[in-house]
Amino acid sequence: GVGNIGVLDFDVVKKTNLHRQVLYNESQIGLYKVQAALDNLIKLNPDINYRPHNCFLNVKNGFGIFKEYDIVVDATDNFRTRYLINDICVNLSLPFVMGAINKFEAQIAVLNYADGPTYRCIYPDLNNGYRMINCEDNGVIGPLCGIVGTIQALEVIKLIINAGDLLSGKILYINSLTMEFKKIKVKRDPSVVGMSFKIREEVSG
């Protein structure tokens, strides 16, 4: 099985989280999410080595944390953090399983894997990302988070055991209002992949 799972978050559990973040319960409101998550995960499977990272992800700590793992799973709710995750993964040659949700719609993809596309190949311009509405502003439907998270977990398992057809080079688009699932092909764009390497200058500087 999976020997090590790292959980990274800086926030605390709020009542407004509970409709979609089902790992937590009402008695854990006010606790750091990392602490609450690990308390519950250990009860589910005590044989896994869980590593807490109770911090705000940034350029300086990201490289040190990510290099301890083989796969990075994104469950964030804003573009700035997703670009940062992508850029660190590109620099460290780590696959990045992305899940993004906005209201009733979602996107899932396996990025930066086997010369496949990165997040910047899909959304190259960070400024355009800022102009788009984040789910933290626009809201999400709770059950869709469970669907997306389960698909992400399945893609991680497929990566580990090298099985099946991964969502690399394609985005799975879900419209939960119509229950429409479709895959959109995307290609690696070397001209924007190079943008991810600029993050090295910040670290070395």
Side-chain angles (χ1 to χ4, degrees):
V2 177
N4 302 286
I5 294 179
V7 181
L8 190 153
D9 205 304
F10 70 96
D11 205 358
V12 298
V13 179
K14 303 180 182 71
K15 190 170 185 178
T16 54
N17 299 145
L18 301 183
H19 79 290
R20 66 190 186 281
Q21 298 176 18
V22 295
L23 185 59
Y24 311 123
N25 58 68
E26 197 166 76
S27 69
Q28 294 177 311
I29 291 173
L31 296 179
Y32 282 110
K33 287 185 176 179
V34 168
Q35 176 190 344
L38 266 59
D39 286 347
N40 292 331
L41 289 172
I42 289 169
K43 293 175 183 176
L44 287 170
N45 188 343
D47 296 323
I48 291 177
N49 178 31
Y50 299 102
R51 300 175 180 176
H53 302 285
N54 192 16
C55 60
F56 184 88
L57 180 68
N58 57 46
V59 173
K60 291 185 177 180
N61 65 20
F63 277 84
I65 294 170
F66 283 22
K67 70 181 182 181
E68 299 297 323
Y69 299 94
D70 300 308
I71 301 168
V72 175
V73 182
D74 160 53
T76 58
D77 61 3
N78 67 86
F79 289 95
R80 184 182 183 89
T81 305
R82 196 167 291 128
Y83 277 106
L84 176 59
I85 293 170
N86 174 82
D87 292 349
I88 297 172
C89 286
V90 170
N91 277 270
L92 296 177
S93 299
L94 290 173
F96 159 35
V97 183
M98 181 271 293
I101 304 172
N102 183 31
K103 288 189 174 180
F104 289 90
E105 300 177 348
Q107 296 178 359
I108 305 134
V110 176
L111 302 170
N112 197 45
Y113 176 72
D115 291 323
T118 72
Y119 188 69
R120 288 188 182 274
C121 297
I122 305 168
Y123 302 109
D125 188 354
L126 179 61
N127 292 322
N128 284 338
Y130 278 136
R131 286 196 290 270
M132 296 172 70
I133 298 175
N134 292 339
C135 72
E136 62 181 342
D137 301 320
N138 214 22
V140 297
I141 189 71
L144 185 56
C145 296
I147 295 169
V148 171
T150 301
I151 294 174
Q152 285 180 279
L154 181 56
E155 290 299 289
V156 170
I157 292 170
K158 287 160 61 181
L159 272 167
I160 293 170
I161 65 175
N162 191 28
D165 183 17
L166 291 163
L167 289 172
S168 177
K170 57 187 80 76
I171 302 172
L172 178 63
Y173 170 80
I174 302 173
N175 183 331
S176 64
L177 285 177
T178 61
M179 276 304 164
E180 178 185 17
F181 287 63
K182 64 181 179 182
K183 285 189 272 191
I184 303 168
K185 291 184 178 180
V186 289
K187 293 182 178 180
R188 189 176 179 91
D189 184 348
S191 67
V192 298
V193 171
M195 296 169 61
S196 300
F197 291 105
K198 292 181 179 179
I199 198 172
R200 288 178 179 172
E201 299 173 10
E202 297 184 50
V203 176
S204 60

